[in-house]
Amino acid sequence: MYDQIKATAAFIKEKTQFNPEIGIVLGTGLGGLVQEIDIAHTLPYEAIPNFPLSTVEGHTGQLIFGKLGGKNVVAMKGRFHFYEGYTMQQVVFPIRVMKLLGITHLIVSNASGGVNPYFEIGDLMIITDHINMLPGNPLIGKNMTEFGPRFPDMSEAYDKALVTLAKEVAEENKISVQEGVYLALSGPTFETPAEYRMVRVLGADTVGMSTVPEVIAAKHAGLKCFGISIITDLGVPGKIVEVTHADVQHVAALAEKKMTVIIKEMIRRV
Ligand code: HPA
């Protein structure tokens, strides 16, 4: 697997001659950030050797290289979810490729269901920590020592300085933000009321189906990580209603502008 990652990174390097500093996973709610990037190169996933192909509605697959906030960035338009049937290794493959391309920071966004009773639909939540309840971990198997240790530390999976920076940027731009813990379940089912209750009891503020594998692999490889989530529905007793993928996309689109401002300004100051 390491050889494949290396070969893919070498292919991209040769094609683009680009040296990214920051990697961005354009999850739900960050699609609009693409418009802010001064694009130098776009590589469709199907043109990149060894890359998985994305299947889920609302996600198209491209790796985008360019300038944002004065920094060289590489952005993944379209991510890979465990529920699509990819292995954990496939889900994190692009993260490891971006590491070999030279990134030092990873920024990730997602949509999630709020289980904190103080949250409202449309809130943004800075992820301060996560709970991995996926049926796996991308680091299971022979350790890739080229990236990091067998037993990586996770005491600060989400970089505290980046959390502080995000809060500063949000305040300056009069954007209110929540902070909290993101718990990952496999999906693709949304949660039952009992499952939402379980998520809350376990100590989380939101639940979603992504991000955690990418952050585990990124942290293993020594990257500083930042994550932000849009609360698109509530798993709070008395407030639970039917939820569809379309609802999630709709709420995320409304919050997109605020999320874009925060990420763009953070990148400028990193
Ligand atoms: N649960 C899991 N994933 C989600 C949710 C949810 O309620 N909302 C958006 N993604």
Side-chain angles (χ1 to χ4, degrees):
M1 185 62 111
Y2 183 73
D3 288 343
Q4 277 186 27
I5 298 165
K6 227 167 85 175
T8 301
F11 170 89
I12 294 170
K13 256 287 156 332
E14 196 187 314
K15 267 256 183 262
T16 65
Q17 310 288 326
F18 194 83
N19 297 312
E21 303 157 85
I22 296 175
I24 310 169
V25 180
L26 300 170
T28 310
L30 264 189
L33 193 66
V34 171
Q35 269 98 61
E36 306 284 326
I37 301 175
D38 185 6
I39 298 176
H41 304 275
T42 301
L43 295 179
Y45 290 167
E46 59 266 25
I48 306 173
N50 306 319
F51 238 63
L53 298 175
S54 61
T55 64
V56 75
E57 295 160 55
H59 300 259
T60 52
Q62 286 176 338
L63 216 48
I64 295 164
F65 299 83
K67 279 262 183 217
L68 179 66
K71 301 277 186 339
N72 280 351
V73 303
V74 51
M76 285 177 68
K77 187 161 181 280
R79 64 139 62 92
F80 303 103
H81 303 85
F82 185 67
Y83 63 74
E84 293 175 89
Y86 299 109
T87 63
M88 283 287 179
Q89 274 73 22
Q90 287 176 307
V91 169
V92 303
F93 188 90
I95 306 297
R96 288 171 159 163
V97 169
M98 293 193 288
K99 163 72 185 181
L100 292 190
L101 292 176
I103 65 165
T104 53
H105 293 68
L106 182 73
I107 295 175
V108 181
S109 79
N110 62 43
S112 62
V115 295
N116 181 323
Y118 294 101
F119 286 5
E120 300 286 353
I121 289 175
D123 278 357
L124 294 182
M125 188 194 88
I126 295 168
I127 303 175
T128 54
D129 204 351
H130 73 219
I131 300 174
N132 181 22
M133 292 295 281
L134 292 167
N137 183 307
L139 305 184
I140 289 173
K142 191 171 182 298
N143 183 48
M144 290 191 207
T145 49
E146 296 89 345
F147 287 112
R150 170 76 291 186
F151 301 107
D153 173 62
M154 285 284 153
S155 63
E156 195 179 327
Y158 298 81
D159 190 77
K160 285 203 170 85
L162 292 177
V163 168
T164 304
L165 176 60
K167 289 199 288 189
E168 280 169 18
V169 169
E171 196 178 333
E172 285 169 23
N173 288 279
K174 302 191 168 46
I175 297 169
S176 63
V177 285
Q178 307 279 8
E179 291 177 58
V181 174
Y182 175 90
L183 182 147
L185 289 173
S186 75
T189 42
F190 290 114
E191 288 65 36
T192 63
E195 286 165 345
Y196 281 125
R197 191 170 352 116
M198 172 193 77
V199 168
R200 186 64 180 154
V201 166
L202 289 179
D205 298 285
T206 60
V207 55
M209 310 174 192
S210 68
T211 302
V212 167
E214 290 107 312
V215 168
I216 289 174
K219 187 71 188 157
H220 178 240
L223 300 180
K224 289 191 193 305
C225 299
F226 176 77
I228 186 161
S229 191
I230 300 176
I231 312 303
T232 54
D233 52 277
L234 294 173
V236 173
K239 293 190 179 171
I240 298 173
V241 293
E242 191 180 315
V243 51
T244 66
H245 184 61
D247 298 333
V248 168
Q249 300 288 73
H250 175 70
V251 176
L254 298 179
E256 190 164 290
K257 222 169 154 186
K258 291 190 285 182
M259 191 117 122
T260 302
V261 167
I262 293 175
I263 299 301
K264 191 179 164 187
E265 190 53 30
M266 278 180 76
I267 288 175
R268 189 187 310 285
R269 298 197 208 169
V270 155

